Amino acid sequence: QVQVVESGGGLVQAGGSLRLSCAASGRIFSINSMDWYRQAPGNERELVASFTGDGSADYAQSVKGRFTLSRDGAKNTVYLQMNNLKPEDTGLYSCNVEVKMSSDGATWNGWGQGTQVTVSS
């Protein structure tokens, strides 16, 4: 199977920065997607950042200009650099991963346990 591990969350003051990591391991032939979501208490889970089909990054409007998505294909890892953090960025940040497990196209889709980001005002 596949394992997904997020890390890098923490408590930071408004205006600060954090860098989140999402690493996938296990039975991976190729990666279809690795997307970052977040969920604040009482809110729906929302898509924060993802790579589009042409390899460029797409962001939620609320984080554009502040968050940067990058990846290391050799490590099956994506990073979310978060700058100028605001209290409304507080939430559990989770990574959704979809992979092909073999050349015949069998896929796996799942989540990591998430990493908590708390931004104080």
Side-chain angles (χ1 to χ4, degrees):
Q1 284 291 14
V2 179
Q3 297 78 42
V4 179
V5 178
E6 302 98 331
S7 61
L11 173 63
V12 64
Q13 288 188 329
S17 298
L18 287 171
R19 187 191 192 213
L20 307 184
S21 299
C22 169
S25 61
R27 190 182 170 195
I28 298 173
F29 177 76
S30 63
I31 292 182
N32 291 344
S33 62
M34 295 181 75
D35 303 329
W36 280 104
Y37 288 76
R38 70 183 178 190
Q39 185 169 24
N43 289 359
E44 297 276 329
R45 180 183 283 167
E46 64 170 336
L47 178 63
V48 176
S50 63
F51 283 108
T52 64
D54 65 2
S56 61
D58 195 22
Y59 302 93
Q61 188 63 39
S62 59
V63 308
K64 281 184 179 179
R66 301 188 296 121
F67 289 13
T68 302
L69 185 65
S70 62
R71 58 188 166 189
D72 184 334
K75 296 181 179 179
N76 292 332
T77 299
V78 294
Y79 305 96
L80 187 65
Q81 177 67 44
M82 307 187 297
N83 297 329
N84 190 22
L85 283 161
K86 303 177 180 181
E88 51 264 41
D89 294 319
T90 294
L92 182 67
Y93 284 68
S94 301
C95 192
N96 178 258
V97 175
E98 181 175 292
V99 308
K100 287 178 62 175
M101 294 190 292
S102 63
S103 59
D104 67 4
T107 62
W108 178 92
N109 186 296
W111 299 83
Q113 81 290 347
T115 185
Q116 179 67 34
V117 171
T118 303
V119 184
S120 63
S121 57

